[in-house]
Amino acid sequence: MDTADESWLEAACLEGGLAAEVENYLRLASLAYAEDDLAESYLKRAMAAAPDHAAVLIGYYRFYFYKGRLLDALGIARRCLKKAAKDNGLSSDWRRVGCKDANFGSYEAILPRFYLFTLKAYGYLNLRLGWLAEGREVIVKLLELDPGDKIGSKVLLDVLERMGMDDED
């Protein structure tokens, strides 16, 4: 979590309505980032107060990701993906989502973009954890939903191809 720039917090508040108390917990977690237990205690308080708020989920995800707790980050990515699917009126199974199910072509469409970035995070974590087939499937789906590759998924597919995973291995 970047303590110098908290604009991510505002951007994460897709549905708005983040209580001042919760925003304060997220700020305190950011300030306590170097102290794992303390930072996580603030994140837990934020999660208890606003368990489905995008800002809280993203804060938790970033904490786990940057601490190298990739399995924990994957769990949060799954929660984010479920939320993003619900907020966009999409199937809860990302495999069933089609390019015409939301305005994926517009980078300005915040909720569809949140879904794409969440799906990318989920795919990336699968790759990092060694689950290459699942990760590849996610990246292929991302490129189907975002053929112009506005969120930069192709680079992940390129890495897989260089590793010899250029088909359904």
Side-chain angles (χ1 to χ4, degrees), residues 26-45:
L26 293 176
R27 186 182 60 74
L28 291 170
S30 179
L31 293 172
Y33 178 75
E35 300 175 57
D36 292 1
D37 292 340
L38 181 59
E40 193 165 9
S41 74
Y42 288 126
L43 289 169
K44 285 179 183 177
R45 292 177 194 171

Side-chain angles (χ1 to χ4, degrees), residues 2 11 37-38 51 63-64 67 77 82 85 97 105 120 168:
D2 190 314
D37 292 340
L38 181 59
F63 176 78
Y64 285 148
K67 291 294 183 176
K82 183 177 179 180
V97 175
K120 182 180 179 184
E168 297 295 321

Side-chain angles (χ1 to χ4, degrees), residues 74 77-78 81 94 118-126 134 138:
L74 183 65
R78 285 184 179 125
L81 195 55
W94 58 265
T118 301
L119 190 58
K120 182 180 179 184
Y122 174 74
Y124 178 76
L125 286 168
N126 275 277
E134 174 87 353
V138 172

Side-chain angles (χ1 to χ4, degrees), residues 90-108:
L90 303 172
S91 171
S92 61
D93 181 353
W94 58 265
R95 292 169 183 87
R96 294 182 182 201
V97 175
C99 59
K100 295 186 181 190
D101 293 342
N103 190 9
F104 295 118
S106 171
Y107 197 76
E108 289 76 32

Side-chain angles (χ1 to χ4, degrees), residues 3 23 59 77 127:
T3 58
E23 187 173 344
L127 295 176

